[in-house]
């Protein structure tokens, strides 16, 4: 549901913390604060950077398209998520700029994590089964035959691509 609409500004911006704190009587803020207090969540956080309702809603904002692609605009310059956590930055509204440079979020967090997940997946799989799934012919054959793809190439999981 987060990604249905994700404008960066205006009344429909995914700035959940600002929307909730600007409400005259924010039951949402009160409910979140009560839960955090009752469950003792964030008790170990620094007093200067608490895990409060606003921080929880800033964390929710990161899960929207706009929150990930324009974190400074929606989370503020520091991109603080409370309790010492900071959301990584983008290139304004993109993660790859016109020069082909990757954003700090891609370089420092997203791509290394995805590489780790893929490496773990591949290490736990049967390489021969992966080769059989992706290539026509025997993986031990010379490189010329390995270039023959199945009529519809498959993903690592075996699904046909379009």
């Amino acid at each position: 549901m987060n990604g249905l609409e994700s404008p960066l500004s205006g009344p429909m911006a995914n700035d959940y913390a600002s929307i909730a704190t600007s409400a005259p009587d924010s039951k949402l803020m009160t409910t979140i604060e009560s839960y955090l207090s009752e469950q003792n969540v964030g008790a170990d956080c620094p007093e200067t950077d608490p895990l409060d309702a606003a921080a929880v809603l800033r964390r929710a904002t990161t899960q929207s398209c706009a929150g990930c692609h324009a974190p400074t605009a929606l989370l503020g310059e520091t991109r603080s998520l409370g309790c010492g956590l900071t959301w990584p930055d983008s290139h304004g509204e993109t993660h790859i700029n016109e020069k082909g440079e990757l954003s700090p979020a891609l370089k420092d967090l997203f791509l290394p994590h995805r590489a780790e997940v893929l490496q773990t997946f591949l290490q736990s799989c049967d390489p021969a089964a992966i080769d059989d799934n992706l290539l026509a012919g025997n993986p031990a054959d010379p490189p010329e035959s390995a270039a023959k793809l199945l009529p519809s190439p498959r993903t690592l999981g075996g699904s046909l691509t379009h």
Side-chain angles (χ1 to χ4, degrees):
M1 298 292 287
N2 288 335
L4 292 176
E5 289 195 29
S6 198
L8 298 173
S9 61
M12 298 301 291
N14 294 125
D15 189 349
Y16 306 140
S18 291
I19 293 167
T21 56
S22 66
D25 178 27
S26 180
K27 183 147 177 85
L28 178 60
M29 295 293 282
T30 305
T31 302
I32 294 172
E33 288 292 352
S34 295
Y35 179 83
L36 293 172
S37 178
E38 289 168 12
Q39 300 298 316
N40 204 27
V41 176
D44 297 337
C45 296
E47 286 184 31
T48 57
D49 192 20
L51 181 60
D52 55 12
V56 168
L57 291 171
R58 285 193 305 274
R59 289 175 183 211
T61 298
T62 67
Q63 301 308 294
S64 72
C65 299
C68 186
H69 284 271
T72 301
L74 296 177
L75 304 175
E77 277 300 316
T78 64
R79 301 173 322 281
S80 172
L81 300 177
C83 206
L85 295 177
T86 302
W87 189 252
D89 209 358
S90 66
H91 284 309
E93 296 176 12
T94 65
H95 283 288
I96 303 174
N97 67 18
E98 296 295 327
K99 298 176 185 174
E101 298 166 333
L102 303 179
S103 71
L106 280 179
K107 286 190 301 192
D108 301 335
L109 186 68
F110 300 147
L111 292 177
H113 175 70
R114 289 174 184 164
E116 182 181 322
V117 169
L118 182 59
Q119 182 178 16
T120 300
F121 173 76
L122 291 174
Q123 288 174 344
S124 67
C125 290
D126 178 359
I130 292 171
D131 286 341
D132 287 344
N133 213 13
L134 294 173
L135 302 173
N138 185 343
D141 287 344
E144 308 85 57
S145 69
K148 297 179 203 168
L149 292 176
L150 294 171
S152 293
R154 296 178 181 261
T155 66
L156 290 174
S159 298
L160 291 174
T161 60
H162 301 294

